[in-house]
Amino acid sequence: MHTFPKSEVTLTPRTVSLTTRKGVEVRRTLPHRDIFMIGAWAFVDHYGPTTSEEMSVGAHPHIGLQTVSWLFSGEIEHRDSLGSVQLITPGQLNLMTAGGGIAHSELSLASAPLHGVQLWIALPKAFRDVAPDFAHYGELPVINKDGVTYRIFVGDFLGASSPATIYSELVGVEFTSPEAGTVEIPTRTDFEYGVLVDEGSLKINGQGVEPGQLHYIPEGNGSLRIESQGGFRALLLGGLPFEGKIVMWWNFIASSHGEIVEARKAWEEASSRFPSFDDRVNHRIPAPEMPNLTLTPRPRSRVS
Ligand code: MN
């Protein structure tokens, strides 16, 4: 049984150039050196608003996770190895369940600057190999309360439920306000949470948090106090602390080094585990070389 930080901590993003996302730098707050996961949320990439015309992401594989695409502005055309073709716009959710294996590509359309997040949800071990799936949710619950608008894209919040299919207890909510104010957000005492600030400077439980930062709140809190001097946009991500250890490498989440090696080989050999598909990006991203070491499954924190 490992222990975990019992105090709040603000995580500052690192800037990452993705092998899969040409010309776009992302601000990554998870995994972080100290905190790998919040609930099953295993990956938080925050990008844009871009100034370039277009962002394309060639075909690449995933296993063992769900990807959550959530936009603040812009449009992306998603295609995958199940044959899905889907446009996503702000306020909608694209949820791709990789399970045993899926490949996808993304083409952003030049209608508006691209600005949003790409999140990964680790699948619990019992569901890591579920059949791949892609779902688009065009309508999600929206709640207006005390001057704040909440868009619930995953889980249950303020009595509303996202229709998205997930495999552990989680919540994902965008919350925005056009003006200054103070709000108490109810939280579950058995959940840990992160608040990713996109716009505005917030005080979260009295701690200053700037755009791009992810503020971590451990279990045991029944509410969050958010103070803002002006309009803001932020994401609330929370969940039951994740059970078990995972290996994350490139676009894969698995239980062991060997499973990662197998998935990498299947992609490199264009095996039927990742069926090919047609898209307008017309580029297939090769897997990077594996590091010269054995990847070790890790718990949600390095503190133990
Ligand atoms: Mn992807």
Side-chain angles (χ1 to χ4, degrees):
M1 190 69 193
H2 54 271
T3 59
F4 198 66
K6 286 301 171 199
S7 55
E8 300 188 19
V9 56
T10 302
L11 308 179
T12 294
R14 56 207 163 94
T15 302
V16 180
S17 297
L18 298 183
T19 60
T20 46
R21 210 168 283 254
K22 274 180 296 185
V24 175
E25 285 190 331
V26 303
R27 301 178 289 280
R28 181 169 300 162
T29 40
L30 280 190
H32 185 273
R33 188 190 58 195
D34 298 326
I35 293 177
F36 301 143
M37 304 175 74
I38 296 175
W41 297 106
F43 191 87
V44 175
D45 269 2
H46 182 199
Y47 55 84
T50 55
T51 48
S52 61
E53 286 286 288
E54 197 171 81
M55 177 194 78
S56 67
V57 181
H60 61 278
H62 287 284
I63 64 167
L65 54 87
Q66 293 179 291
T67 62
V68 167
S69 298
W70 183 259
L71 294 178
F72 305 133
S73 83
E75 293 181 301
I76 294 177
E77 182 182 278
H78 162 97
R79 299 198 185 213
D80 65 41
S81 53
L82 301 173
S84 316
V85 179
Q86 180 65 55
L87 186 71
I88 180 176
T89 61
Q92 303 182 330
L93 170 66
N94 273 3
L95 181 66
M96 186 178 77
T97 304
I102 200 168
H104 73 141
S105 69
E106 291 172 297
L107 177 66
S108 88
L109 308 180
S111 56
L114 192 67
H115 184 192
V117 291
Q118 162 92 184
L119 312 171
W120 292 359
I121 300 170
L123 288 167
K125 192 169 174 44
F127 300 102
R128 208 159 287 155
D129 294 322
V130 292
D133 184 56
F134 174 79
H136 172 77
Y137 300 94
E139 301 264 336
L140 293 163
V142 179
I143 291 181
N144 292 296
K145 186 168 184 281
D146 301 332
V148 178
T149 300
Y150 300 90
R151 296 177 189 279
I152 298 118
F153 54 89
V154 166
D156 305 323
F157 188 76
L158 291 177
S161 296
S162 163
T165 301
I166 51 174
Y167 295 86
S168 60
E169 291 203 63
L170 282 181
V171 70
V173 177
E174 181 194 277
F175 61 107
T176 57
S177 173
E179 53 196 40
T182 297
V183 62
E184 293 275 340
I185 295 183
T187 53
R188 277 176 58 162
T189 55
D190 56 348
F191 272 26
E192 56 184 345
Y193 289 92
V195 177
L196 177 72
V197 179
D198 175 64
E199 260 178 41
S201 295
L202 300 185
K203 268 196 179 170
I204 303 174
N205 292 339
Q207 174 69 47
V209 184
E210 297 300 317
Q213 293 184 320
L214 177 68
H215 187 69
Y216 171 78
I217 303 109
E219 311 96 279
N221 293 282
S223 69
L224 282 178
R225 183 181 176 84
I226 309 275
E227 297 167 72
S228 162
Q229 299 298 317
F232 67 87
R233 174 164 48 212
L235 295 185
L236 177 70
L237 304 173
L240 283 182
F242 193 78
E243 298 282 335
K245 298 179 177 183
I246 57 171
V247 180
M248 266 180 79
W249 180 80
W250 196 37
N251 300 308
F252 303 143
I253 288 181
S255 301
S256 69
H257 179 89
E259 290 174 12
I260 298 276
V261 171
E262 251 176 58
R264 182 187 183 282
K265 185 162 178 273
W267 177 248
E268 290 303 284
E269 292 176 349
S271 104
S272 60
R273 184 171 179 182
F274 302 110
S276 61
F277 59 98
D278 292 326
D279 63 23
R280 298 194 282 158
V281 179
N282 201 24
H283 176 63
R284 190 178 192 280
I285 297 171
E289 290 301 318
M290 296 275 310
N292 190 22
L293 52 80
T294 302
L295 300 167
T296 311
R298 64 194 188 182
R300 65 198 177 102
S301 161
R302 78 189 171 109
V303 179
S304 58

